[in-house]
Amino acid sequence: MANILSARVLCRCAYILLTILITDAKSNVVFQPSYLVTSGPRLSAFLLGNTSGISLTLSSLSLSNPSEDLTQWVLTQELVGKTTVRVQLNLNRSLLLCGNNNDTDCCPEPLCVLETLHVSACLGNTPQASLLIQARIYAQVFPTEPVSDNKTVIPNQVYRPLGSCPCDLTVGACDVRCCCDKDCSPEALKLFQGQCLSGPFGGEISPVPDYLCIAQSAENAPDWFPFLCVISLPENNPFLGLFYEGDTITPKPRPSFQRPVLSAPLPTHIYQQGDPIFTISDHYFTIPQNSLVGQCVDNAPVAFLKNFQAQCVTRLLSCPTGPPLQTTPTELRVQVRDGQGGVVTVDVTDKMAVDLRPFVASPVAEDGILLCENVTLALDYKFFWKGNGLTNITLTRILGNVLSASVGLTARYSVAFLNGDALAQPNSGNPGYQVGRPVIGGIVDTLENGTVIQRTPVNLWKPVSSGLCASEGKIVIFGENSTAGCLLPVSLQNLTQCSLLSQNVASLQRALSTATHIARNGDPDVLNLTDWLNISFVELNSNQPVGGGIGICSGIPSHRHIHVRSIVTEVVGGLPQREIQAVEVSDHVSTWKFECGGGDPCLEPTGIQTFPVTSSITFTDISINTGPPKTRFQINFTEYDCDRNDVCWPQLAFPLTRYYTGESYSLSLAKGLILVFFFITASILGTPWKQIRQAWRSASL
């Protein structure tokens, strides 16, 4: 029977894939994304294109559930635009783990749902687009006692220390060398059982007293210790904590008849944030920097973990002969102390500047002016650090040939400290994207042992000082809508070949960003294709005419727009974790017309005119909040909202309820009744009741 089901499912999958390949060229609609992996009971996708008359069907491809009628998901659709339909799937079953009761609507195993779904968009009986979904959902386990997100129970420090395991830094994960972490399995503890963190940070809140016999080993025990030590249980400990009554405990030297053991000498230079970096000859490691008054200092020391960018303008009257404008690789390969007792050498890479406009104000040739070769235009340092030391230093030196005219030469210097090693690539969040981090793009690279995604940035146009297009683009930042452009010089002769001009501009737009995939999260795995999304490119209409007359070309793809749709999946440490759901890239055409002064026709084919080339990006958040809207009272009177304020007046009597666990219920009730008694007594003996009694006596007399 299992073989028959497997054959049916394989035939069904083959039919679906064949249908997708056949109808892909004819389809006017497309799912974005076309493949989803979900671990929750709700998911959504978008159907883009001409959706009129499109019907959706849902089927299951699992071995145990190969029928359309037996699926446990509910399919809904919502029209959110003229050409956009939001498709939502909701799991129509409970995710509670089965207990001792006889309830049938529960999960018998921790892995509750393991199913492959197929959503088809059909026009009549003809399939137009398909969406494949892999669902892997685990059962939910809820606490037995009521909890609140805005309440923290702080125990009495005399009986129970606050933070019994300070090295437990990651929620729901095992921290390496933290042996008191409850999230560590016994198998994980065996990996670092002999390297556990010691002291209060490692969970030893109550250290063993020095006078106990088990506190001293044979290596560090004094000669007289075995005769005077105390045998007692470790639980009988008078230690009240390092911060009890604000005292600081300092160890006292004890007499011994043994020879003292000399410890190994510490490194001479241990770097901390802000400390200057030293070379192997104990001199400061210096780079030209801007001073407080705006001038440049050629020999300014570099501080540890302090990034900076500097620009130094020099009036170039003759060719430079020494640093910092004339340097050699040997001078730049400096040996630097790494802060751990070792030495790292600066790795130098040379590049030639093609465009001198960012560095030279007026590169115009004149008679009698010499050409200065290999002038150092920029020095870009990257310091890779770990802990209190350096692991590697790389330097990119940009050279250029500059005319020795009386012009301003702008040399650029930068220092960036990166955590890790030289091969590590920084992420944009963990696990989801963080606003302000770069968007991670990728290119598929097929190797012998599998498919790997090579990271590549997603760029927008970046102009130089004269407004022309730079060779390097501006990196796209997640969550920041941006529009950038530059000027492209075009001659009148180029406007006579409109098709070739349109192809060249389209090639420039494609070369700006070569990424074909986008990372879903901020820390993608280059070996896992499910962490990446295919970028959907909207093709232009090839039948549109590109000519328009003398000096006029229409249909030029001068603008490229990137649309990113993201969703907030969870909140970790108060920070929302965003995941990209779909990316669409589209080109927009415009008409370029060569114009001359006075409106006269231009007859000179070598005439040059600049035209704008632009690019933009838009981020759209997909809202999943289905709760009721807030009332006017909740919006205006926020001081009564317990989730926003530390003082919660609606819960003034919270200590008298069963949810209060700071002390026993009987003790809190007794204290509450005593407070009520004092309040009634003060009210009776107070001034208002005294005035009432005096008025009563006056009326009776």
Side-chain angles (χ1 to χ4, degrees):
M1 185 64 184
N3 295 332
I4 297 175
L5 288 176
S6 301
R8 291 179 59 187
V9 172
L10 291 176
C11 293
R12 187 181 183 89
C13 293
Y15 172 75
I16 292 173
L17 294 176
L18 183 61
T19 305
I20 294 174
L21 294 176
I22 295 175
T23 60
D24 185 55
K26 303 179 181 179
S27 175
N28 294 324
V29 294
V30 63
F31 278 104
Q32 286 293 339
S34 60
Y35 177 72
L36 281 174
V37 178
T38 181
S39 60
R42 290 178 297 274
L43 60 99
S44 62
F46 291 92
L47 182 64
L48 306 178
N50 185 10
T51 59
S52 60
I54 295 295
S55 61
L56 301 178
T57 59
L58 174 64
S59 59
S60 176
L61 304 180
S62 300
L63 291 176
S64 60
N65 188 15
S67 175
E68 297 183 6
D69 300 330
L70 299 179
T71 181
Q72 51 192 352
W73 295 79
V74 177
L75 175 65
T76 59
Q77 56 182 345
E78 178 186 0
L79 185 63
V80 296
K82 294 183 179 180
T83 60
T84 304
V85 174
R86 179 188 287 115
V87 180
Q88 294 182 341
L89 287 175
N90 296 298
L91 184 63
N92 189 19
R93 62 162 298 173
S94 175
L95 292 178
L96 295 178
L97 192 62
C98 294
N100 297 326
N101 52 8
N102 296 326
D103 190 7
T104 58
D105 189 12
C106 59
C107 301
E109 298 179 355
L111 183 57
C112 189
V113 178
L114 181 59
E115 190 176 7
T116 302
L117 303 174
H118 175 239
V119 180
S120 299
C122 300
L123 182 61
N125 295 327
T126 304
Q128 300 294 320
S130 296
L131 170 63
L132 292 178
I133 302 168
Q134 177 68 46
R136 186 183 183 92
I137 306 175
Y138 288 87
Q140 297 178 352
V141 180
F142 295 96
T144 58
E145 298 181 358
V147 296
S148 178
D149 293 338
N150 63 335
K151 301 176 183 66
T152 302
V153 178
I154 301 179
N156 193 337
Q157 298 303 290
V158 177
Y159 305 102
R160 184 181 176 186
L162 177 63
S164 59
C165 189
C167 61
D168 186 5
L169 303 177
T170 308
V171 179
C174 178
D175 294 271
V176 180
R177 297 184 62 192
C178 185
C179 296
C180 59
D181 192 350
K182 301 300 182 181
D183 299 321
C184 295
S185 61
E187 293 78 8
L189 289 175
K190 293 180 181 180
L191 299 177
F192 49 84
Q193 190 171 8
Q195 302 292 331
C196 297
L197 295 171
S198 60
F201 186 75
E204 298 179 6
I205 304 299
S206 299
V208 180
D210 295 338
Y211 53 80
L212 293 182
C213 295
I214 61 175
Q216 299 286 345
S217 61
E219 298 178 357
N220 56 0
D223 301 338
W224 44 263
F225 182 77
F227 302 98
L228 300 179
C229 65
V230 178
I231 300 177
S232 178
L233 295 176
E235 291 77 10
N236 187 16
N237 195 333
F239 185 73
L240 295 179
L242 294 175
F243 304 101
Y244 186 76
E245 295 182 355
D247 293 336
T248 303
I249 301 176
T250 57
K252 297 180 180 180
R254 296 170 297 181
S256 176
F257 298 102
Q258 295 179 351
R259 179 183 297 178
V261 178
L262 299 178
S263 59
L266 296 175
T268 56
H269 298 292
I270 298 179
Y271 294 131
Q272 296 182 358
Q273 185 175 8
D275 291 347
I277 297 177
F278 290 89
T279 62
I280 193 174
S281 57
D282 290 336
H283 293 100
Y284 288 133
F285 183 78
T286 60
I287 297 175
Q289 302 179 36
N290 296 116
S291 62
L292 297 178
V293 296
Q295 297 180 353
C296 277
V297 180
D298 292 341
N299 297 321
V302 177
F304 185 65
L305 298 183
K306 294 292 185 180
N307 301 337
F308 70 86
Q309 292 182 352
Q311 296 183 4
C312 297
V313 180
T314 304
R315 200 71 177 176
L316 196 62
L317 301 177
S318 61
C319 293
T321 58
L325 296 180
Q326 192 62 250
T327 58
T328 61
T330 304
E331 297 174 346
L332 298 175
R333 292 191 182 96
V334 182
Q335 291 184 329
V336 180
R337 296 189 179 274
D338 61 356
Q340 303 295 332
V343 176
V344 293
T345 305
V346 179
D347 186 10
V348 182
T349 303
D350 290 338
K351 291 184 178 180
M352 291 298 298
V354 180
D355 187 6
L356 297 179
R357 283 187 292 262
F359 307 100
V360 182
S362 179
V364 180
E366 298 180 3
D367 296 336
I369 297 178
L370 299 177
L371 180 64
C372 302
E373 297 181 353
N374 296 330
V375 177
T376 303
L377 302 178
L379 296 176
D380 297 328
Y381 285 88
K382 290 184 179 180
F383 291 79
F384 297 90
W385 63 278
K386 184 178 181 181
N388 292 92
L390 300 173
T391 59
N392 196 8
I393 303 176
T394 61
L395 168 61
T396 302
R397 183 179 64 156
I398 300 179
L399 304 175
N401 300 328
V402 182
L403 298 175
S404 62
S406 180
V407 297
L409 176 64
T410 302
R412 304 174 186 270
Y413 307 94
S414 66
V415 167
F417 284 86
L418 304 177
N419 183 254
D421 51 29
L423 300 178
Q425 294 177 320
N427 294 326
S428 296
N430 185 17
Y433 274 102
Q434 296 296 319
V435 176
R437 300 287 186 89
V439 175
I440 303 175
I443 302 175
V444 178
D445 188 8
T446 303
L447 303 178
E448 295 180 356
N449 54 355
T451 302
V452 179
I453 301 292
Q454 290 187 358
R455 287 193 180 189
T456 182
V458 181
N459 299 324
L460 299 178
W461 286 112
K462 179 181 179 181
V464 294
S465 58
S466 58
L468 299 179
C469 299
S471 58
E472 297 181 357
K474 173 186 176 184
I475 297 178
V476 170
I477 303 300
F478 185 85
E480 296 183 2
N481 298 335
S482 178
T483 301
C486 56
L487 299 177
L488 183 66
V490 178
S491 65
L492 181 60
Q493 184 177 2
N494 297 136
L495 291 176
T496 59
Q497 302 174 354
C498 296
S499 299
L500 181 59
L501 179 61
S502 177
Q503 294 176 5
N504 293 336
V505 175
S507 300
L508 291 176
Q509 295 281 20
R510 289 191 298 267
L512 177 64
S513 180
T514 59
T516 58
H517 291 70
I518 289 292
R520 294 175 180 267
N521 301 313
D523 57 344
D525 186 2
V526 296
L527 300 178
N528 189 2
L529 294 180
T530 59
D531 289 351
W532 301 83
L533 282 172
N534 287 326
I535 300 178
S536 177
F537 293 92
V538 179
E539 299 293 338
L540 289 175
N541 186 8
S542 59
N543 297 327
Q544 184 177 0
V546 295
I550 300 177
I552 300 175
C553 286
S554 60
I556 304 298
S558 59
H559 178 73
R560 168 159 288 198
H561 180 68
I562 305 174
H563 191 189
V564 179
R565 295 181 176 91
S566 61
I567 190 173
V568 178
T569 57
E570 58 181 338
V571 177
V572 178
L575 296 176
Q577 305 297 317
R578 292 176 170 84
E579 178 180 316
I580 295 179
Q581 296 290 316
V583 179
E584 183 183 74
V585 178
S586 58
D587 293 330
H588 301 272
V589 298
S590 61
T591 301
W592 286 2
K593 181 179 179 181
F594 199 93
E595 297 181 356
C596 300
D600 297 333
C602 301
L603 302 178
E604 184 63 33
T606 59
I608 301 295
Q609 185 174 333
T610 57
F611 293 91
V613 179
T614 58
S615 58
S616 62
I617 186 167
T618 302
F619 291 88
T620 302
D621 288 333
I622 304 174
S623 177
I624 59 174
N625 184 15
T626 59
K630 292 185 178 180
T631 62
R632 184 181 301 175
F633 179 82
Q634 292 175 333
I635 296 175
N636 296 332
F637 299 94
T638 57
E639 64 270 15
Y640 297 102
D641 191 351
C642 296
D643 294 330
R644 299 186 183 182
N645 300 280
D646 296 332
V647 179
C648 183
W649 293 109
Q651 296 185 4
L652 182 63
F654 175 73
L656 302 179
T657 62
R658 294 286 185 180
Y659 300 109
Y660 179 68
T661 58
E663 52 191 357
S664 62
Y665 178 72
S666 59
L667 183 60
S668 60
L669 183 61
K671 291 181 180 179
L673 294 177
I674 292 174
L675 290 177
V676 172
F677 172 76
F678 282 130
F679 177 76
I680 296 175
T681 304
S683 301
I684 294 175
L685 300 179
T687 302
W689 283 98
K690 184 177 181 181
Q691 293 177 355
I692 293 174
R693 289 196 304 270
Q694 291 178 356
W696 179 265
R697 292 176 182 176
S698 299
S700 62
L701 295 177

